[in-house]
Every structure is written in C-alpha cells, then in structure tokens.
Amino acid sequence: MIALTRIYSQLLLLQRPCARIWQTTTRSTICRPTPLHTPVHAAAASNTLRITGAPILQSRAFGLSACSFKYTDDFSHGGFTDEDEEDEDFIEDSEVEELFLEQVPKGIGEGQHRIFIVHPDVKWGSRKQYLTTAELMMAEAVGLVNTLDNWTVVDKIILSTKTPEKKRIFGKGNFQSLTEKIRQTAGITAVFVNVERLSPLSEREFEEAWGLKVFDRYSVVLHIFRCNARTKEAKLQISLAEIPLLRSCLRNEIANLDQQGGGTRYIGGSGETLLEVQQRLLKEREMKIRSALEKLRKKRHLRRSQRKHKEFPIVSVLGYTNCGKTTLIKALTGDSGLQPRNQLFATLDVTMHAGQLPSHMTVLYVDTIGFLSQLPHQLIDSFSATLEDIKHSDLLIHVRDISHPETVNQKVNVQNILKNLQIPDRLMNSMIEVHNKIDLIDNYQCVEPDAFPISALEERGLAELKNKVEKEIVASTGKHILDLKVDLSTPQLSWLYKEATVQDVNVIADEGSAIVRVIISTAAYGRYKKLFTCR
C-alpha cells in the first residue's frame, strides 16, 4: 500500500502543469547552493540567459554543462558585457524551476548524508582499469563526496571482484562480509558504490540487503551539478539527465508493487497501468525539455555567429576537473572577478573572459569543462551541447595538473573525449598542452618538449605561453601582419584601431602620415582597401 501511495503521488507531480513558481525554500531541502562569487554567476542566478552549452563524450570521461557569456574587457573603455537576453521567452523561468524541482530523484538531496564508500576492484576483463589504481579511484570518490555540503565519509573499503557484471557485483563471500561491515558501522545514512551506473536490479538488491539508500557515480555527480546549476540550460540539462534515475526509481517502485499483488492495476478505466502512465508522462517531460534545449542551442548558434562577426579569436581552455583552468584564465586576463576554488566541479557555468596578447590583440578565453573519468553515456548524452562551441574555437589549450598522480590517465580521458566530439584536425594538431602546478613539484623537469610548464597560481611561464597562443591564433585565423601607410588627416588610423590590432605607429611628420603595423583579418583588410584605397 505504501508503494502504491508513492506511485500515485509521483503521478500527480508529473501531471502538474508548469505554471506556478516554486518557492525558493523548496530548493533548500534539496541542496545548499554554492555562494555566488562573480558578476557572471549573479547574472545567471537572476535568470539572465547566457550563451550556454554542455559536454560530452565517452563512457570514461565527461565534462560540464552550461555556459555564461561575459566580456571582461579591462583594457578599453572600462569593459563591457554582452547582453544576450532572449528575444522571445520561449520557456518561462517559472517553468524551468518547475521542471528542475518537481521531480528530484528520491533520497539523494534529503538533508545530511554520512556515506560508506565501496569501490569494486575489478581484477581482470573489459572493466579492469589499466591506467589507474583502486586507491586513486577511491580517492576521487572521496573527493566527490567531500564536494557536497553536509556530506561526510564515515568509512570506505576497496573490495576485489571477478564478476562486476553480476547483480550483486561481488561474489557471495565478499558480499556477505561487506554487508556485515556496513551493518556494524554506526551512523551510516547511505552507501556510495563507486561504479559508473548501477542497474535498477542491483540498486534494489543492495538497498534491500543493507537497508540504506544506495548511490552510484551517476547520481552523486548529477547531484553536484544540481547544487551548482545557475543558468536555464544547466537546469534543463540536469532535469534531462535525471530522467534515467526517475525511470529506475519507477521500475523499483512497480517491482515492489508487483510483490504486493497490485502491479497490474489500471488507472481510472483508461486501459493504462500505473507503469504505462508514469512512463508516458516521463516521456512527455523528456520531449518538452529536449525541445527547450534545442531552442537554446539555436540561440547559442546565433550568439556564436555574432562573435565571429566581431572577429574575436576564441581560445577554449579545457582539462580534467580541478586542473587549474580558472586560475590560468585569471592569470592570463587579470580578471579579479574570477574566484577559483580548490574542489571538483567548482566551475559549472562556462564563462568567457577577454584578454590581451603581447601584440595587443584581443582574444576571448573560454573557461569550459571539467572532465571526470567513468561516467556513462546516459549522463553524457544529456549534456551533449555544451562542448559544441569547442569545435568552433580558433585554438584549444589543454591544461594538465602535472602534480596529480593520475595525470597521464587524465590526459588520455581528455583526448578520448575530444576524439568522440570529432574535433577538427586543425584544432587537434594545434592544441597547446600546458603542465600546470609545477610549483607543487620540487625541481620539475618537463620531459615533453612541446608542453609549456607553468604555475598559474604563481604566474610563472605565462609570457612564453602567451607568445605561443599569439603565434597559433595568427596562423589559425588567417590574419595578416602588415605595414600600412595611412593619411593622418583621414579616419584611417582610428578605423584600424577599431577593426584590427595596431602593434606600432611610426609618424612621418613632414608628410602628415604614419606607417602602422597591424594584425588584420582578410575580411577586415578587404573592407579597409574598399574604404580607403579605392576612392
């Protein structure tokens, strides 16, 4: 009867129209939002739609979601911000909040959690990890739990298994000893099984055996995303990614109802069972979210076209989570508004920040994704738009935490992600690899000749990196370095300052002219000749 009541309550939630605004107190029962540190986040929190997007890529790696677009132009006219409000508000803020809050997977966001972590150490077969160790995978799992407010790790265990595909993952003896240990450990509220995704059958089996809520990496990481979501697209993508969790919960509830003899009951003479009604409503919800995300994708494409028209080169900075991307961008741009944090997934909303290269050329650095190993296709597919903009960048910078014991494995994950994204060869071949956090290694010696060793925190090695970025940008964008003779009595010089990058001006006073060295695109140079040399 309890299961039947719960199914009916879920049914009412799904049937509820998205018309009213949820009270903000509702969210406080789900998770405590991360404090807003920057103007970009504040704008996102006030429901200002920004250019958005989200990652993706393969079963062993993952990146993040949504994107805010901001220029931090601290070198001309006091700065400016791209105002990209929606012309047509195709989905109301209240509807997004309704979708975001009405169907939260049960158990994960309800108050504090004291977690027991179980890491299955696969000894051989296709699921064995060859580039890492069980201890490092456990350390990453602990880091995920510690990222969440009010979550603490009570105990942890690494347990060998030869049968990870089985319902209980472990053999009979290991499973019994694990169950005894969990039951004997006081104060546990949930168990985190450190695998990509538990099947509904496995989840139900574990919860029945241990009498506790059970999470996998999918649900824990998704909850971290939920707690950090600010933009419309982030919230919609998270709502979409939660649908598989809701379906799992539904199957478990129906299975419990079947055991009570009520699983085949029909609803209101409609000819549909409880399961069929719930599945239909979840499908309708999924279609609505996908439709809204597609409209956001088209809006983002428009914004990208506008940026291309302004001819600002785009440099996407990517890498494993907590590798120092935000710290590097802060050092490259001098943007004091950026507040890097030493935790996993500290940046959920992707931002753009303008900076100057040695030639005074303006580029936009994109603070993108934080990758993580071992996340499944279902979660990845929900965020399949965020990395779309990477394909349209002029240059990629891959930041590695060279002090991390798994830095080689992390590099492989990022490369696999980019391959799955089908990043153009021109970007892959010109990608700059940065070895960050060399300040944490005594007497660091770089053994990769093409890599740039830096300390973003201490701003070491940045001059060499900026010169390399400039060289690659000039090559990838087809810009020209030209010496142009201009008449100072005409608007030629002011036009060049506006439409190109002026590097040097040598005035010829007797002639009332100047020789101006500029970096200029082919299109801008064509406009220049049409305006000033073809009269």
Side-chain angles (χ1 to χ4, degrees), residues 269-491:
S270 65
E272 289 183 295
T273 64
L274 278 170
L275 178 60
E276 290 170 341
V277 171
Q278 285 276 40
Q279 288 177 332
R280 174 173 55 80
L281 293 174
L282 278 175
K283 184 65 176 178
E284 290 172 359
R285 171 187 172 87
E286 179 181 354
M287 291 175 63
K288 180 174 183 178
I289 294 171
R290 288 189 184 278
S291 175
L293 285 171
E294 175 61 19
K295 292 178 181 179
L296 279 172
R297 187 193 65 81
K298 292 178 180 178
K299 179 69 71 175
R300 187 173 55 255
H301 176 74
L302 174 62
R303 300 304 174 194
R304 185 167 59 243
S305 299
Q306 292 173 344
R307 296 201 305 274
K308 282 293 183 183
H309 178 69
K310 293 177 182 178
E311 297 181 352
F312 290 119
I314 306 295
V315 181
S316 290
V317 182
L318 48 87
Y320 212 80
T321 183
N322 206 30
C323 69
K325 298 182 298 296
T326 304
T327 304
L328 175 58
I329 292 176
K330 181 177 182 179
L332 290 172
T333 63
D335 184 357
S336 58
L338 281 169
Q339 298 295 330
R341 286 175 287 151
N342 184 25
Q343 66 179 62
L344 301 179
F345 302 116
T347 301
L348 181 60
D349 296 301
V350 177
T351 56
M352 287 187 176
H353 304 268
Q356 276 188 308
L357 297 177
S359 65
H360 307 296
M361 184 193 309
T362 301
V363 296
L364 296 178
Y365 292 102
V366 184
D367 191 359
T368 62
I369 40 185
F371 296 111
L372 185 70
S373 65
Q374 288 195 319
L375 284 182
H377 286 293
Q378 282 181 314
L379 182 54
I380 288 166
D381 290 344
S382 300
F383 293 88
S384 59
T386 298
L387 292 186
E388 182 180 314
D389 282 343
I390 287 183
K391 294 181 181 180
H392 303 277
S393 301
D394 297 298
L395 181 66
L396 304 181
I397 296 179
H398 174 201
V399 183
R400 289 174 58 187
D401 177 358
I402 204 65
S403 70
H404 196 284
E406 280 205 284
T407 183
V408 174
N409 186 31
Q410 292 176 354
K411 176 180 178 177
V412 172
N413 281 329
V414 172
Q415 289 176 332
N416 287 335
I417 288 170
L418 296 177
K419 288 177 183 177
N420 283 345
L421 275 175
Q422 297 181 337
I423 299 297
D425 289 340
R426 65 172 182 84
L427 284 174
M428 294 299 294
N429 295 334
S430 65
M431 182 166 62
I432 298 173
E433 182 169 307
V434 170
H435 290 184
N436 190 25
K437 304 188 183 182
I438 61 172
D439 53 296
L440 300 180
I441 302 177
D442 294 332
N443 302 316
Y444 175 71
Q445 297 293 324
C446 184
V447 296
E448 299 180 40
D450 294 330
F452 284 80
I454 69 163
S455 168
L457 186 63
E458 297 181 355
E459 300 190 4
R460 290 160 51 189
L462 298 187
E464 294 84 356
L465 177 59
K466 285 183 178 180
N467 287 330
K468 178 64 173 178
V469 169
E470 181 172 283
K471 178 182 177 181
E472 294 296 341
I473 284 294
V474 170
S476 67
T477 59
K479 292 181 181 292
H480 307 280
I481 302 177
L482 301 174
D483 289 327
L484 302 176
K485 188 173 183 178
V486 302
D487 185 345
L488 295 177
S489 65
T490 71

